[in-house]
Amino acid sequence: MRTRTVAEPYKIKMVEPLRMTTREERERAIREAGFNTFLLRSEDVYIDLLTDSGTTAMSDAQWSAMMRGDEAYAGARSFYRLEAAQKEIYGFKHMIPTHQGRAAEHLTSQIRIKPGQYVPMNMYFTTTRAHVERAGGIFYDCIVDEAKDPWSDFPWKGNVDVAKLQKLVDQVGPESIAYLSISPCVNMAGGQPFSMANLREVAAWADRYGLPIIFDATRAVENAYFIQQREEGYAGVPVARILREMMRLGEGCTVSSKKDNLVNIGGFLATNNDAFALKAKELVVVFEGMPTYGGLAGRDLEALAQGMREMVEDAYIASRVEQVAYLGRRLSEAGVPMVRPVGGHAVFLDAKRFLPHLAQDQFPAQTLAAALYLDSGVRAMERGIVSAGRNHKTGDHHRPELELVRLTIPRRVYTNLHMDVVAESCIELFEHRETIKGLRMVYEPESLRFFQARFEELEAVAC
Ligand code: F0G
């Protein structure tokens, strides 16, 4: 039987015009931005693949739900509707909204980490790690080795390596571990999922030592979709059921609602641990606001409750992840080096192999992201040595194995023709890769430097 095309399970009701720029305009813009795509103005960008965070197109149901927003300072109806959606979809007993994900990470790190304790994670994420370290915690990487090999086709590159966890416990003892921070569809590994089998194994191991799992469940639905597609026993199981099954294996989660949850702003902390929830409610008032709004407006809570319901619709999540796969297929057919298999939210170009003539200290991924913008006005993001930051003790760069450019696909925003434009630009750059010169960093903020660091072209420095 022929396979039939499956189109997006929605139609477009409102449009936002895109501005196309000339090469000269883009040259001026990227220079002004210090060759950092984070510092570009969005009006100078044609197709914006900087992030899938907060860039979602909301549905008519979400926009109309916003009209019901109860803006009461305390005890708003909107909060209780959101809490009910969270209980139904994630299944945790307590929920504390925050203005975005990192605020939930802040609360969690401050409450759950004693200085000097380790926090094992399946690879780091920038904000999560920053909050762990600010609380005096020590990040410990426990992801499987396959995650660091862009050419490995292993389907579960987000898996935790239990042997690495065991090694840590043997060395420092379980009391020196605050909790396990487990992330579905690991962002920095290329949006790679873990399997349910691995999660069950990790949970059983953690149980033996009384260690809680606190998920960074930011992209848990995308992970649930991969489990549905790839893991034995899950074919045809609704994504909503798989998500609940995953969450049951943890004590709680932090979430950036700007991703899976289909809203432009928001986040939350959820947990079954009464003492943790109580402490978080104390602390959230200091940083975010009352625990029934956590830095969000009542209308934001409404959009989030509706977004949670839409994110677990099987047709939606299939269309979302398959669009990312479509871009990945076009690039891989042309031989463009990228992380395989393609992840849930983005295609990650392998800048080390794309620009083999550049040393890592010449910032290959930063260079490639700037070159892509110059070529076509497509904005991508560096995920390599700049994002990894410095070792606070030695002052030297962290040198991550992966030196990647992330082409992140916003949810329900672009069509596959936009994906074609992106693919053609990447392919053309790859054909002329030896003409691309490296960069030198000329300004560097102390933390999360990738957001605001500035660069100059190496060639410009030499002459
Ligand atoms: N955890 C993960 C896995 C994330 O990807 C992000 C944000 C956060 C936590 C923090 O959430 O932005 O709401 O405070 N990632 C964005 C990105 C910035 O582009 O990947 P936030």
Side-chain angles (χ1 to χ4, degrees), residues 39-51:
L39 300 177
L40 287 166
R41 289 170 186 243
S42 92
E43 67 166 4
D44 294 329
V45 173
Y46 175 36
I47 298 174
D48 203 347
L49 306 187
L50 184 69
T51 178

Side-chain angles (χ1 to χ4, degrees), residues 83-93 184 194 196 199-200 203 215 217 220-225 227-228 234 237-253 260 268 270 272 308-309 311-312 314:
E83 194 188 36
Q86 183 283 130
K87 274 198 184 134
E88 182 189 319
I89 291 157
Y90 291 87
F92 292 109
K93 188 171 164 197
F194 54 61
M196 192 70 87
L199 181 59
R200 271 197 232 104
F215 292 107
V221 183
E222 288 165 6
N223 200 123
Y225 176 72
I227 289 175
Q228 184 196 59
Y234 288 92
V237 178
V239 157
R241 274 231 319 264
I242 300 174
L243 177 67
R244 280 293 294 265
E245 189 178 332
M246 280 162 60
M247 293 298 112
R248 268 200 300 274
L249 294 167
E251 182 212 270
C253 65
D260 268 357
F268 65 91
N272 292 328
M308 275 185 194
R309 297 212 149 87
M311 76 180 180
V312 288
D314 287 291

Side-chain angles (χ1 to χ4, degrees), residues 171-191:
Q171 276 170 4
V172 303
E175 62 289 346
S176 297
I177 298 175
Y179 54 89
L180 308 185
S181 170
I182 305 298
S183 180
C185 273
V186 181
N187 194 350
M188 302 301 269

Side-chain angles (χ1 to χ4, degrees), residues 51 100-102 105 125 127 187 216 219 256 259 406:
T51 178
Q100 58 183 76
R102 68 197 71 185
E105 293 167 3
F125 182 72
T127 60
N187 194 350
D216 173 353
R219 295 186 182 85
S256 166
K259 286 82 166 175
R406 190 179 74 171

